[in-house]
Amino acid sequence: MNHSRADRLEAGLRLSERHSGAQLVATHAEATPEVWLPAARSALSAQFAELLNSGVHGLCFSPYLEGQAPGTEVSEAQIRARLQPLVGRCRWVRSFSCTEGHQHTPRIAHELGLKTLVGAWLGTDAEINEREIQAVIEVARAGHADILAVGNEVLLREDLPEDVLLAAIERVKQAVPGVPVGYVDAYYLFELHPRITAACDVVLANCYPFWEGVPREGALAYMQSMFQRTQAAAGAKPVIISETGWPDQGTAFWGAQPSTEGAMAYFVDTMHWAAEAGIQVFYFSAYDEAWKVGAEGDVGAYWGLWDKDGRAKFD
């Protein structure tokens, strides 16, 4: 059965609780919209603009336009046009694939002065996985990858056995010994898969209070606990938050309510904490992606700082 991302996260969290003895903070209460008075709303908007315009650490990036989705071949011109607005707004970009044109993203990002966390997308198709692995090695050998991510939420989706994923990580590490190699997944899976954690040069954790039903007002503290759990699992290895964000539209998930103000406030809170604590965060995401409604419901289309047409959403 093809469960939604939220279903898989909830099932995984219950397993994580049994293994770690941790207690979930989320209280599956009804979502209650926040109330923002005009002065507070104006101050929030100013803070958001100041942070983004001064440049955050990193943004997650996909170049898809309306009607495009995985399976669409994207052009270099389209990638460049979608990356250009990010220049000056972030120092790093994270890409998710090295096939179907996405292998050009790291080179173009470097040409624009951006550093790159380059992903190889691994799934259930062994032939596609092989193309991704070969391509991510080629990108790194060409000098366009500052960090490599071999796989994204493969364990969460249950797409590959741990041994197969481990072999892919080790293969890439051996092929490009000068580039840090990690793996991306929901934070608690690094507790449950210590061999994967041990194989990583850098641990890349996705931390989404929204998908655990946490009201926006408590989301920063909850996300900090996610990060701390990942640090404990990682030991001395560096930990990067490879994804976190908040949607501005769509259906609530338990106590987590999408809203424009909530999305801006979560961004502001996260970036202030990251700067103060010296944490590297890749915010999800640069652009809205309409195709994501298939896996995440209506909320999946509204995680971007820019809309699907490239317009800034929070001016």
Side-chain angles (χ1 to χ4, degrees):
M1 183 180 295
N2 184 20
H3 294 291
S4 71
R5 187 173 193 272
D7 291 335
R8 293 193 301 270
L9 279 167
E10 186 161 7
L13 282 163
R14 298 304 170 191
L15 179 61
S16 174
E17 279 190 291
R18 291 200 298 272
H19 279 259
S20 69
Q23 295 293 314
L24 291 180
V25 175
T27 59
H28 287 190
E30 290 288 331
T32 303
E34 295 183 72
V35 177
W36 289 81
L37 297 176
R41 174 63 169 76
S42 179
L44 175 64
S45 182
Q47 283 185 296
F48 174 90
E50 181 181 4
L51 281 168
L52 185 59
N53 290 331
S54 64
V56 299
H57 174 78
L59 295 175
C60 296
F61 171 79
S62 290
Y64 294 123
L65 302 176
E66 180 75 357
Q68 297 180 335
T72 302
E73 190 78 18
V74 293
S75 70
E76 293 185 47
Q78 180 175 322
I79 291 167
R80 189 178 297 275
R82 294 294 255 189
L83 277 174
Q84 190 66 56
L86 279 55
V87 175
R89 273 60 178 266
C90 64
R91 295 179 291 280
W92 289 67
V93 290
R94 177 188 167 204
S95 58
F96 291 79
S97 169
C98 278
T99 61
E100 298 176 345
H102 300 286
Q103 66 271 21
H104 302 300
T105 295
R107 172 180 53 79
I108 295 169
H110 272 185
E111 290 171 1
L112 294 173
L114 299 166
K115 301 190 80 172
T116 59
L117 168 53
V118 181
W121 186 270
L122 304 182
T124 58
D125 189 311
E127 291 185 7
I128 294 174
N129 291 349
E130 179 61 25
R131 291 199 295 271
E132 287 278 352
I133 291 169
Q134 289 181 5
V136 83
I137 290 171
E138 290 174 7
V139 167
R141 286 177 171 170
H144 300 308
D146 296 293
I147 300 175
L148 294 177
V150 182
N152 178 73
E153 296 188 344
V154 175
L155 298 172
L156 179 66
R157 295 191 305 273
E158 300 180 350
D159 279 355
L160 294 174
E162 183 183 271
D163 284 345
V164 175
L165 175 60
L166 188 63
I169 295 170
E170 294 291 356
R171 177 181 166 190
V172 173
K173 286 175 66 176
Q174 292 175 17
V176 286
V179 181
V181 176
Y183 165 70
V184 177
D185 217 323
Y187 68 99
Y188 60 84
L189 285 164
F190 294 100
E191 299 170 333
L192 301 181
H193 296 273
R195 290 198 303 154
I196 297 295
T197 309
C200 293
D201 298 321
V202 57
V203 176
L204 303 167
N206 291 350
C207 300
Y208 282 107
F210 180 90
W211 286 122
E212 295 186 23
V214 180
R216 205 285 309 166
E217 298 92 327
L220 177 64
Y222 194 84
M223 194 258 287
Q224 291 168 337
S225 74
M226 294 169 156
F227 181 76
Q228 289 161 4
R229 284 177 61 176
T230 311
Q231 281 186 310
K237 295 177 184 291
V239 176
I240 294 173
I241 296 178
S242 42
E243 291 179 32
T244 194
W246 199 270
D248 64 290
Q249 297 184 51
T251 303
F253 187 70
W254 298 102
Q257 174 73 53
S259 72
T260 296
E261 292 80 10
M264 286 196 294
Y266 185 76
F267 178 88
V268 168
D269 289 348
T270 297
M271 294 309 164
H272 279 158
W273 167 68
E276 291 167 2
I279 308 300
Q280 297 178 54
V281 174
F282 285 83
Y283 201 80
F284 190 89
S285 63
Y287 294 101
D288 284 346
E289 298 179 73
W291 68 271
K292 289 197 150 206
V293 297
E296 300 180 5
D298 60 354
V299 75
Y302 300 107
W303 293 80
L305 300 179
W306 287 264
D307 69 14
K308 61 184 178 60
D309 298 317
R311 293 185 294 258
K313 290 164 60 175
F314 304 118
D315 285 348

